[in-house]
Amino acid sequence: MPIFEFKCSTCQEVFELLLMNDKDKVELICPKCNSEELERVMSATHYAMGAAGGGMKSQTRTCPSGSCTTYEVPGPAS
Ligand SMILES: [Zn+2]
């Protein structure tokens, strides 16, 4: 099922929304600050294909203190 990633332009929070079907209209607001200023984040597949847009990939992970967002910059592995 389709998972869409969004990034909040206000607090930079990255989150995923699971859209079950088109009829199920989901409110597109940031779960952290309730901002509606969101930008669509392309999937990792698109990043791998070399999509433009800063070249940074953000990833939200679950960590002991909640959810952490890390950024991965494409380049040679160290
Ligand atoms: Zn936010």
Side-chain angles (χ1 to χ4, degrees), residues 4 11 28 34 44 47 50 53 59 61 68-71 73 77:
F4 296 96
C11 71
L28 295 179
N34 293 326
Y47 274 100
Q59 214 168 23
R61 297 187 172 135
C68 300
T69 302
T70 58
Y71 292 92
V73 182

Side-chain angles (χ1 to χ4, degrees), residues 8-13 30-35 38:
C8 175
S9 298
T10 303
C11 71
Q12 310 302 305
E13 175 81 354
C30 173
K32 193 172 177 183
C33 70
N34 293 326
S35 169
L38 307 177

Side-chain angles (χ1 to χ4, degrees), residues 2-76:
I3 298 175
F4 296 96
E5 275 191 88
F6 294 90
K7 186 175 87 171
C8 175
S9 298
T10 303
C11 71
Q12 310 302 305
E13 175 81 354
V14 176
F15 56 97
E16 292 177 348
L17 284 178
L18 196 64
L19 303 182
M20 305 300 271
N21 58 63
D22 290 339
K23 295 175 201 163
D24 189 18
K25 290 295 180 189
V26 179
E27 248 188 309
L28 295 179
I29 58 171
C30 173
K32 193 172 177 183
C33 70
N34 293 326
S35 169
E36 293 180 7
E37 298 292 319
L38 307 177
E39 48 182 274
R40 177 80 179 278
V41 178
M42 301 303 275
S43 74
T45 306
H46 288 92
Y47 274 100
M49 289 168 68
M56 272 207 307
K57 181 168 84 173
S58 63
Q59 214 168 23
T60 303
R61 297 187 172 135
T62 305
C63 61
S65 61
S67 122
C68 300
T69 302
T70 58
Y71 292 92
E72 292 175 18
V73 182

